[in-house]
Amino acid sequence: MSTASSQASHSPRRYERTVQRISGEAFWLKTYHTAICGMKVHAMGLDFFRVALNSLKDARLIRLIRVLEDDSQTASFWYLLKANGSQVRKAAKSGGLDIVWLADVAARLKSIRDKTFVHIDKGSVFDPDALYKAAGLTHADLERAILGLWGTMQALHRDALGEDLLGDDYDATDIKQLADLRDETLGIGRAE
């Protein structure tokens, strides 16, 4: 993929800025995913925790779709691979990311993106869940993609920009604390 002619068509400035951008996207993907995994609390009807969980799932999915969009007009993960394949493959190896597998995930996300998540397709409006089922992506698949991207972008950021990718490491422990406060305030779980 990375030939001399394809590398010549990519500016070093755009490549470096895309490394920064996709690194930031990977950070938020990991952070959203951590929060989703930490949402192991009892929701009471349509409460804040259920709304927050659905919002985080939407945010995680659209961010993953954006990072994995393969279009000549986008500065996505695939742009980085085309611009400097050897550097990205080295980072992917270091980050534990299987690029061929990730391309398959991206292809399976495309119909979800095009027919229900970003656009509402006339034919798919009757059964949007069928698109998700057809894609066959599990929570474990999303986790593998997100954590692989995160590890890859950390390595690529270090290699391409000469500095570590900084950011807080969110552990989601505050979610249970917030749920406990809610329950205490509402008197839930108290023996009466």
Side-chain angles (χ1 to χ4, degrees):
M1 240 186 210
S2 181
T3 64
S5 62
S6 70
Q7 284 183 346
S9 67
H10 303 288
S11 79
R13 188 168 164 247
R14 178 176 292 123
Y15 178 78
E16 289 176 2
R17 179 60 188 114
T18 304
V19 168
Q20 290 172 334
R21 174 67 190 264
I22 301 302
S23 295
E25 297 285 339
F27 169 80
W28 284 110
L29 275 166
K30 181 183 96 45
T31 302
Y32 293 166
H33 184 72
T34 300
I36 289 165
C37 292
M39 284 280 196
K40 307 265 190 275
V41 298
H42 175 71
M44 299 178 352
L46 190 58
D47 71 356
F48 170 79
F49 293 98
R50 180 160 295 156
V51 172
L53 178 61
N54 286 332
S55 297
L56 286 166
K57 285 180 176 180
D58 284 353
R60 176 184 65 175
L61 187 57
I62 196 64
R63 200 173 286 269
L64 185 60
I65 287 169
R66 182 169 52 234
V67 166
L68 297 179
E69 184 173 3
D70 193 5
D71 182 280
S72 64
Q73 299 301 306
T74 61
S76 68
F77 179 79
W78 308 116
Y79 165 80
L80 294 173
L81 186 63
K82 290 171 189 158
N84 193 336
S86 61
Q87 189 175 51
V88 173
R89 281 190 283 280
K90 178 183 168 194
K93 185 175 181 181
S94 173
L97 180 65
D98 179 339
I99 293 174
V100 173
W101 175 82
L102 189 66
D104 178 60
V105 168
R108 291 191 276 162
L109 284 171
K110 183 147 177 40
S111 66
I112 293 170
R113 176 206 181 274
D114 292 348
K115 295 187 176 193
T116 192
F117 199 74
V118 176
H119 308 285
I120 301 173
D121 181 73
K122 288 183 204 178
S124 299
V125 73
F126 296 102
D127 191 8
D129 287 340
L131 296 166
Y132 290 93
K133 288 176 189 159
L137 293 169
T138 65
H139 177 80
D141 291 329
L142 295 178
E143 181 171 76
R144 179 179 170 195
I146 289 165
L147 296 180
L149 277 166
W150 173 240
T152 298
M153 294 314 299
Q154 285 180 299
L156 186 58
H157 196 278
R158 209 172 14 259
D159 195 25
L161 305 177
E163 57 189 28
D164 286 334
L165 179 56
L166 302 176
D168 293 338
D169 190 21
Y170 180 64
D171 65 5
T173 55
D174 57 342
I175 295 170
K176 173 118 177 56
Q177 294 167 346
L178 291 168
D180 289 347
L181 285 171
R182 174 208 58 192
D183 294 349
E184 182 182 317
T185 301
L186 296 175
I188 298 169
R190 277 191 257 177
E192 301 200 21

